[in-house]
Each structure stands twice: as C-alpha cells, then as structure tokens.
Amino acid sequence: MELDSVMLSRMLTSMTLAFHIIFATIGVGVPVMISLAEFIGIKRKDAHYILLARRWARGFTITVAVGVVTGTCIGLQLSLLWPSFMRVAGQVISLPLFMETFAFFFEAIFLGIYLYTWDRFKKPIYHWLLSIPVIIGSSASAIFITTVNAFMNTPQGFTLRDGVITGIDPLKAMFNPATPSKVFHVLTSSYMTSAFILAAITAWVILFGKKTEYHMKSLKLTMAAGLIFALGTAVAGDISAKFLAKVQPEKLAAAEWHFETGKNADLILFGTLDENREIHNEIRLPKVLSFLAGNSFDTEVIGLDKIPEDEQPPLWIHYMFDLMVVIGMYATFISAVFVFLMRFRGNPFNKPLLWSIVASGPLSMLAIEFGWIFAEVGRQPWILRGYMKVAEGATRADHVGLTFLMFLALYLVLAVMTVIVLTRMFKKKTPEQEFEERYSNAF
Amino acid sequence: MSLQLLGITVLWTFLYGYLIVASVDFGAGFFAYYGKITKKDHVINHIISRYLSPVWEVTNVFFVFFFVGLIGFFPDTAYYYGTALLIPGSIALILLALRGSFYAFGNYGAKKGNSFYLFLYGATGLLIPASLSTALTISEGGFLEKKGDSVEFLAMKLFASPYSWSVVLLAIVSVLFISASFLTYYADRANDVDARNVLRKFALFWSIPCILASLLVFTALKGHNARHFSNALDIWWMFGLSFLCFLVATIFIYRKKWFGWAFILVMLQFFFAFFGYGASHLPYILDPFITIHTAVTNDAMGTALVIAFIAGLFLLVPSLGLLMKLFLFDADYVRGKK
C-alpha cells in the first residue's frame, strides 16, 4: 500500500465519514424516540415519559453539535479532497446536496425552538407538534444525502464525453435505481440503532444503578420500538440484497465470495479464503444466496467470473456483510425475547437479558459502520460506478497526510469530550432528583 | 436576469446572511471571553447566552448553504478552490468544528463559566472570520497558479500582501462592530441597562476602526486589482449609502436612542457595502479562472436549483420568522422570564 494522495484522501474521507456516521445515525433516529416518548407521556398523562423525552433531548443537543460540525467537515472535504470528482459530479448531485441543506436548516430551526419551549405552551401537545418538523428535517436530510450516495453507485441522468457533462436530468439522477432500497435501509437502520443505544444505556443503569419505574418504562419503550425498527431493517436489507443481485452484481458477488455464475448458489457465512480463492471453515447454507437474490432457489446469481478483474471490489467486504447481518439478527432476537416476556408476564428485566441489551447498542452502531464500509468499499474501484475511478477523482495537492493528522486529532478531542460531557450531564442529576424537582408540586 | 446572475445573487444573499448572523455569534464569543477576564461577565454573559442558545445551529447552516450552492451553480469553483485550499480550508474547518462543538459542551454539559471553553470560544470567534475572509481575498486573483492539471496556492504571496491583511483586519473589526450593535439592542430590549451600557461602549469603540478598515481595503484593492477598483468606483453610490447608514447608526447608538433602528442601519451598511463589493467583482468569481459565464452549471440543473431554492424559502422564511418571534421579539423570553 502506497501512501500517495489518493490513498491518503481515501483514508481521510473514510475517517471523517466513520466518525460522522455515528452522530448522523443518532441525529436521524433519536428525534423519533424523543417524539414517541413525549407523545406517550402526553396521551397517558404520565410524567415519566415526558421526563424521558426531556432527558434524551438534552443529551441529543450534544450529539447534534458534533454531528453538525463533522457534517460540515465532510461537506467541504468533498471539494477539498475530490476536486476533479466534484467538478464533474457536482453538476449532477448539487440538487440533492442543496435540498439536504434545506432539510438541515429546517431541522436546526425547529430543534432550537423545541429545546427552549418545553414550558411555554398551555397545551403540551403544541410542544409535541414541534418535534414533527425536527423528525421531518432529520429524516429528509438523510434521504437527500443518501440519494447522492445512491447516485455514485448507479449514476444516471447525464452523458459524459471526454470529461464534459451534457444532458443533465436532475430528477433522474436523484431517483436512480439504488435510491429506494438505500433510503429505506438507511432510515430503518438509523431508527433501529438509536432505539438500541437508548435501550443499552437504560439497561446499564438498571444493572448498575437503580431499577426504578422510570427506567423500566424507558426500557419497555425502546425495546418495543427497537423490535419494530429491526424488523423494518430486515425487510429493507432483503430488498437491498435483491437490488444488488440485479443491478450491482459485483458487490453482492464479492460480499458472498460467489465466484462462478450459476443457479442454486450457496450462502457463505464467515470462513476464510486462501490464495486460490478456495473457501475454508465456512458455514454453508445451500442455495440460500439464490433465494436471497430472487426469492427462488433457481435464481441465477452472477459471479465474479463475469466481472473484469480490475473492476472487482476487494474480497474482505465479505466479513463486513456477514457481521452486519449477524448483528441485525441478534438485535432482532433480543428485542423479540424482551417484548415476548413483557407481553406474557415473564420477567424481561433478568440479568442475562439486560446484559444482552447493553451489548445490542454498541453492536448496532458497529453494524452501521460495517454496513457502510461494505457499501462503499463494495463499489471500489469506482468513485462514480462505470464512469470515474477513485484515482481520477482525488486531489493532486500535497500535504494530504498532514491534513489527515489534523483531523485525526480533532476527532479524538471531539470523541473524548463528547463522552465526558454526556456522562457528566447525566450523572449530575439523576432522573429521580429531576422528577422530584419538577413534579413534586404538580402531582 | 440571466440564470447565472440569479444564481450568484442568491448565493451572495446567503453569504450576506451568514455575515450578519455569524458576526453576531463570533463577536459574542469574543465579548463573553473579554467580559470574563475583565470581570464584567456577570453583567453581559447571560444576555449573550440567552440569545445564542436557540440559534447557534442555524448560523452554521447559512455557511453550509453558501458553499453547497456555490458548487452547485458553479462546479468549477470546487476544482480550483478545492485543490488550492486544502490546508487553509482544513484549518478553518477545524476551527469551526471546535467552536461549534465546544459551544455545546460548554453550554449544555460542563460546569457553567468554564474559562477554557470560553477562551476557545472567544479566540476562534476572531480566527474564523480571518481565515474565511482569505477565500474572498483569493477570489481577487494573484494567489493561485495553474500548473498542468493541478492548482497551486501561493501562500507566501498571500502572507506578504497588504490587501490580504487589510481584508483580515476589516473582517475582525466588522465582526466586533456588528455583534456589539446587535447585543446592545438585545440588552436594551431586555431592559438590562447595565449590560446595555457595557455593550454600547463596545459598539462605539469598534465603529471607528470598522470604517477605517473599510477605507484601507479600498486603498489596498486599488493596488491589487485595478479593474475591480474602477468597477467599484462606477457604483460609488452603493458605498456612499453604506457610509450614510453607518453614520446614522452610530449617532443613534451614541445618543442612546432607537437601538433597533440602529442595528437595522448597521445591517444596511453592510448590505450596501457587501453587494457593492460583490457587484463590482463580477463577472469574475475567481479572477481570472472563473467567471459566472464560463463556470455555470447546465441550464437544467440551474433551473432545478432555483426552483428548489424558491420552494425552500417558502419553508424557511416562516420557520425563521417563528424562531425570531419566540426568541428575539418575545419580550418575556428576552428578559429571562421564560
């Protein structure tokens, strides 16, 4: 591996995105959970849920701040690190980028209003209504930015001849074949991950702090929501796999180590690969890949033999794909067990289950990272699939290495500070104290 | 109006919006820190934080909006600025990132009044306008060189240029002047006489350097880019109006009257100066590489962007109105009763 500008640009972009995606995911999912909690609180006249929404919202401001600044970083880095790419693709993707900023603007305005108007309205439902534009804004910005990424996977809506772009159709570019499945998968997995992260925090507190009514309600809400979103994510993932089989077969083939085109293709779970592309130590599910690709065991799945060698993605994305799927199934299973025990009067608050929930939060976030690494590395060597390779898009400026180190330092500082500030914020005042202060007169 | 002109006007308006809201924000950070070290923080800092808390994210969006729009309308800018500004752009980004996140850490997380956060906040408040203003300086030409298919940034030339330093100076003092005149108005609305008096002094103190720095920029521009300078002379009345607004605003502030109008006049002062500067800069976006005619995106995308922009305004203007109604024009909130 040579550390030239191309490699360093890739490393810096990956680092920024890997860091940003943590906060972006929380930014898309947590408003939904806050809104749910407040709505239930108002409907059931249960102050515990209102307090839950308030406390989540307070922590959310910190993650939003980091999300906003890292988002600004990646926004500008696109031009700083990939100027040749932006010069060409910028003409086609500027509409969704522009609309993403609008959505972000909308969200920022209403988030500011939401956070500072808790006690300003006579009817609490008015305050709850303010959470709707926040959700619309955050989810819409996820949708728009995902269309940009989808465009890079399946570009359309323009003609490129000798580096000159003509015949641009902005809407066709935005609603490219990859858009529906990507958007669906991004939204459900963000909602899911946020629910499991909030659940993991609650489960941790129940294990090591107190098991109060407040915490039990919190865990019930987050686990129930988590189950629904996890099922949604599974459906979205299935749609995405079928899409890949049809439109981007090289990505699925690399992910599944599927070398020979053919029917009755096996699904490979984990395993290792030797120099001769022989698979060892794998768990083999016969014919399942065919089923995954087209709902029938006879579906023909295109293998890497049909893809020119210099256009094949690296084969290690197989592990990313497997880890993502396995974590998704784990989280679905855990939340299903919890909801089952909750419905049928079992004890969902038993220690092993609580520990499993604690694990589900960070694991879901890891699954997000793995999924994005799979999606992004899976379209290597292309930056604009079929049009422009990564090496042609990168900056020719020097000092990318220095820039990498500067941003590495920045993200380290931000990561450490975020953890410290969030921990301090929630330890300073326990929910019981806050509940006492706020509602001792009212109830 | 041609699509190109419409595009650049829209973008320039956003940059103007950013100039105003960001100046208030950046200056506030500096005054908050200055208040702390001169032990006036108990007088002014609560006013500052009550204003900033609900709006700080919105400020950032204006900036993102501008550069996303610029690349959308004029994709060539991504290529030239992107290649050339890797290091200075990254430094500005890191400062912005530190400032934004430490504002939230300081305000929502840590113990109140932590002076390290406040120092970071105050210092970056002056460094960011300085570093962002260099992008405008570069647009005047002479600081980029094209070598084959790469663009090189002549950093040493920028450091040695009197024009570049005059712009940096103007950026810093205008930030302080705009911010102080806004905060004076805000404190006045809050009926907080003590805070108002302190902030009023800041506003008056920074008014003179602000106007001197503008003159300095003009003189330096004459030496740096004669074409631009003579274009500016053609629309001298824009700058005349700007000066007039400045005079009346300062008189209002000096006579402790009509602080709201004074701030509107300060906004107009910068409106005329900024648009006068922008208009005389045309047709170049980046002299001599990019003009609004050579670099514009194709018509279909340009039209789509304008439509998206207008649709977006229908969403933004009422929401911004609501934000201002709740936090700027709600007397009870400003006075800290809500």
Side-chain angles (χ1 to χ4, degrees), chain A residues 65 68-69 72 79-80 83 87 91-92 94 98 101-102 105 109 111 113 116 120 168 396 398 403 414 417 421 425, chain B residues 53 56-57 60-61 65 71-72 75-76 82 90 101 104-105 108-109 117 149 298 300-301 308 312 316 326 330 338:
Chain A
V68 168
V69 298
T72 312
S79 299
L80 292 173
R87 190 184 205 179
Q91 305 185 54
V92 198
S94 44
F98 205 56
T101 343
F102 263 122
F105 214 145
I109 289 172
L111 185 63
I113 297 178
Y116 286 87
R120 272 175 82 169
I168 295 177
R396 289 178 175 79
D398 305 328
T403 321
L414 290 184
M417 285 302 303
V421 168
M425 185 190 247
Chain B
S53 307
W56 63 272
E57 297 151 86
N60 202 52
V61 190
F65 220 111
I71 293 161
D76 276 5
S90 297
S101 48
F105 295 158
Y108 301 99
Y117 292 102
D149 56 353
N298 89 324
M301 185 45 102
L316 284 189
L326 287 171
D330 185 311
K338 273 183 183 172

Side-chain angles (χ1 to χ4, degrees), chain A residues 306-317:
Chain A
K306 291 273 171 73
I307 312 293
E309 215 160 302
D310 63 337
E311 290 177 16
Q312 291 181 7
L315 292 172
W316 57 263
I317 59 169

